[in-house]
Amino acid sequence: EEEGGVLMRLPTGQGWRLRARGAAIALEDSVYLGLGAEARRTSQIVLPSQGEAEGIQWAITRVAPAEPASPPA
């Protein structure tokens, strides 16, 4: 979670940033019940409305892969 948004990274380093206006952004514990019968622990992004907001505007943008860390000198 970051200021004003959430950054999601895949194991490949590719990322996606979610930003929202008219809502707070929070991460909450959740359960994934996808393929197979085994439930998996995960997190979900939640956009609770802020006060009297008439709507929520949101955007997801692709983020370049993270640069590998440089070895210590």
Side-chain angles (χ1 to χ4, degrees):
E1 197 170 350
E2 60 179 34
E3 182 72 29
V6 174
L7 177 61
M8 301 164 279
R9 285 235 182 251
L10 298 171
T12 62
Q14 179 65 52
W16 298 89
R17 178 173 286 120
L18 172 73
R19 294 185 182 274
R21 198 178 290 163
I25 297 180
L27 293 177
E28 294 184 0
D29 292 335
S30 188
V31 177
Y32 174 70
L33 300 171
L35 302 174
E38 208 172 303
R40 294 190 318 182
R41 189 183 325 206
T42 188
S43 296
Q44 65 180 343
I45 301 169
V46 181
L47 302 175
S49 176
Q50 290 180 325
E52 298 295 319
E54 290 189 22
I56 297 173
Q57 296 176 336
W58 58 271
I60 297 178
T61 54
R62 189 181 300 229
V63 177
E67 293 293 324
S70 301

